[in-house]
Amino acid sequence: MHDGHLDTPNWVPPTNHTNTDELTTNAGQRVHSNSYSCTAGPRGPVLLEDFQLIEKVAQFNRERQPERVVHARGMTAKGYFELTHDISHLSCADLFTGVGKRTPVATRLSTVIHEKGSPETLRDVRGFATKFYTQEGNWDLVGNNFPVFFIRDGIQFPDLVHALKPNPRSHLQEGCASWISCPATQSPPTF
């Protein structure tokens, strides 16, 4: 088959790291798909041997561009959690034993998508993170105001965040970008 490049005397076929048609890890190893994690069975837990998942999430955690940071705009309140009723039959955690026990706590309320300088009137997912400073160690409780979180596979979360974030050059949220985060075999998410 003749593709036109054979006539060039010094033409060299592209290697894995320059060929944009092929997904590779940071080390150049081919990846079949970066949209699905390796699990133990069809609905089983995610396996830690999935190096593509670990690499993708680690790279997402290290992103420090101010306009791309998730939960950049928010506020924190500090106080304490005081147990008023005995619920030791429901949990053996130290903070739930002993009526009147006080545990220091910090709660952060934030928007998820828009950057620090964005107006508060924009429609955005809201999130919270509560940290209980217990005698047994810190306990973190986090959540978003999604009625149903539509991502079943954690490897897709960085793609979703990147698709929903505003364009770093124009600072505008692009409507077509939210379709990019969905793997080809799934239907797009409904908001």
Side-chain angles (χ1 to χ4, degrees):
M1 184 167 97
H2 182 51
D3 62 356
H5 292 292
L6 297 176
D7 297 333
T8 309
N10 296 328
W11 183 79
V12 178
T15 58
N16 286 347
H17 62 350
T18 59
N19 186 353
T20 58
D21 296 336
E22 193 172 83
L23 292 172
T24 62
T25 64
N26 290 343
Q29 183 178 5
R30 278 193 256 181
V31 176
H32 174 66
S33 170
N34 74 342
S35 297
Y36 301 101
S37 300
C38 292
T39 59
R43 293 180 55 91
V46 174
L47 303 175
L48 281 178
E49 65 188 36
D50 186 357
F51 61 91
Q52 174 61 21
L53 167 69
I54 303 300
E55 182 177 280
K56 185 174 182 177
V57 172
Q59 185 171 345
F60 177 69
N61 286 340
R62 291 183 189 113
E63 288 180 357
R64 287 294 125 207
Q65 300 167 336
E67 66 275 1
R68 305 285 284 178
V69 174
V70 182
H71 297 281
R73 181 188 185 106
M75 63 181 180
T76 302
K78 295 181 179 180
Y80 62 88
F81 171 81
E82 183 175 351
L83 189 65
T84 58
H85 294 68
D86 182 27
I87 58 170
S88 58
H89 63 285
L90 298 174
S91 174
C92 63
D94 184 58
L95 77 148
F96 297 129
T97 59
V99 175
K101 185 173 199 166
R102 286 187 171 191
T103 303
V105 65
T107 299
R108 178 170 163 76
L109 305 169
S110 61
T111 61
V112 175
I113 301 302
H114 295 285
E115 65 269 8
K116 192 172 184 178
S118 65
E120 294 180 10
T121 55
L122 293 174
R123 184 174 180 173
D124 195 356
V125 176
R126 308 294 175 172
F128 74 91
T130 302
K131 185 178 287 279
F132 296 87
Y133 300 95
T134 72
Q135 293 176 349
E136 298 173 320
N138 295 342
W139 178 44
D140 294 318
L141 179 66
V142 297
N144 288 327
N145 69 337
F146 280 155
V148 175
F149 199 66
F150 48 83
I151 296 179
R152 292 188 179 185
D153 196 337
I155 199 169
Q156 296 172 0
F157 183 71
D159 298 331
L160 172 72
V161 170
H162 288 146
L164 294 177
K165 280 289 197 179
N167 184 326
R169 291 188 180 145
S170 66
H171 299 286
L172 297 174
Q173 196 168 9
E174 298 171 352
C176 63
S178 63
W179 297 95
I180 297 170
S181 69
C182 303
T185 58
Q186 284 185 341
S187 59
T190 327
F191 296 100

